[in-house]
Amino acid sequence: MLEHVTRFQRQAGLIEWSRERLEGCGLSPGTASILHVAALLEEDTAITVRHARSFGLTRSEDLAAFLPQWDLEEAEHAVALRRLLEGRVYVAPRPGSASISRRRRLLARIPAHPVALLPQTAFVFCVLGVAAEYVATVMYSELAKQVQPAVAGLLRSIARQEARHFAFFMAAARDRSERMGPVSGAVARRALAAMWDPIGVPTLGPAI
């Protein structure tokens, strides 16, 4: 078992949070709007996991072990955030799936088996995961400084878990980096750009 898989599995598990502790907590409309988008992004992880399977990325031992648990943990983040936002008045950004280009939607239907055979495909996927988890970690950490203690505790718990996801993707990308040639790496990047949408784009559109 690869070291970064063992390290992730040792710390894996759903965050602990209490519905009762979140009741009555104040939250500004602006913060609520940000957390609404965050919940959408957490839910979009399920789409990303399905895409990863279609690309054959679960043939890799580390991604096969990581992706199902990642999906569960991100889904629990969304459940907690949805509970926090219940009954609040704020501006909810409207989903923008219709804005995704027709070319991209059509290409997404093409079997991706040739792309999956490129080891660089998993590398690019992991690099994009690094970026997404870094942004999530920073966002939750900063928001935790601006809210009441009970909400801050939830956001810090999510941030810590996002940081562990970041560490996994970073280690997985580094593990693959030595095998990435410039030509096949460029092919993998272009293929992913054409047929796969990063977290959030399927729901909110590319403007996110």
Side-chain angles (χ1 to χ4, degrees):
M1 184 72 71
L2 296 172
E3 180 181 349
H4 59 280
V5 178
T6 303
R7 187 164 54 246
F8 169 73
Q9 290 179 332
R10 189 163 51 240
Q11 299 177 315
L14 302 183
I15 59 169
E16 295 183 3
W17 62 282
S18 168
R19 293 174 179 269
E20 291 72 24
R21 290 191 63 193
L22 296 178
E23 290 181 358
C25 290
L27 202 64
S28 71
T31 300
S33 293
I34 293 172
L35 292 177
H36 176 88
V37 174
L40 290 175
L41 300 182
E42 301 284 8
E43 291 165 348
D44 265 12
T45 299
I47 300 174
T48 294
V49 170
R50 289 198 298 271
H51 285 172
R53 292 193 181 104
S54 72
F55 274 107
L57 300 185
T58 50
R59 297 175 185 174
S60 301
E61 178 187 11
D62 56 350
L63 290 178
F66 171 76
L67 291 176
Q69 184 63 34
W70 179 50
D71 190 10
L72 289 174
E73 292 176 355
E74 299 282 297
E76 185 67 10
H77 297 173
V79 170
L81 293 174
R82 294 291 188 192
R83 176 64 185 88
L84 174 62
L85 295 172
E86 279 181 6
R88 300 183 187 274
V89 178
Y90 60 92
V91 177
R94 299 179 64 181
S97 298
S99 63
I100 299 175
S101 70
R102 179 179 298 180
R103 176 185 62 83
R104 181 167 292 191
R105 291 200 304 272
L106 291 175
L107 285 172
R109 299 171 184 244
I110 299 175
H113 301 300
V115 180
L117 296 177
L118 294 172
Q120 290 76 16
T121 301
F123 171 81
V124 176
F125 180 87
C126 290
V127 169
L128 292 171
V130 167
E133 298 296 342
Y134 175 79
V135 171
T137 301
V138 172
M139 178 194 68
Y140 287 122
S141 297
E142 289 302 311
L143 287 177
K145 301 175 184 177
Q146 307 170 27
V147 295
Q148 294 182 3
V151 180
L154 169 64
L155 298 184
R156 290 194 185 102
S157 293
I158 295 176
R160 285 193 293 270
Q161 195 157 74
E162 301 289 17
R164 290 194 288 272
H165 298 164
F166 168 85
F168 174 89
F169 277 124
M170 179 67 79
R174 186 180 295 116
D175 184 63
R176 290 166 169 81
S177 63
E178 296 180 355
R179 293 172 279 165
M180 189 182 76
V183 176
S184 54
V187 172
R189 286 192 296 273
R190 290 176 182 174
L192 279 174
M195 294 192 286
W196 178 73
D197 295 305
I199 291 174
V201 172
T203 298
L204 295 172
I208 190 174

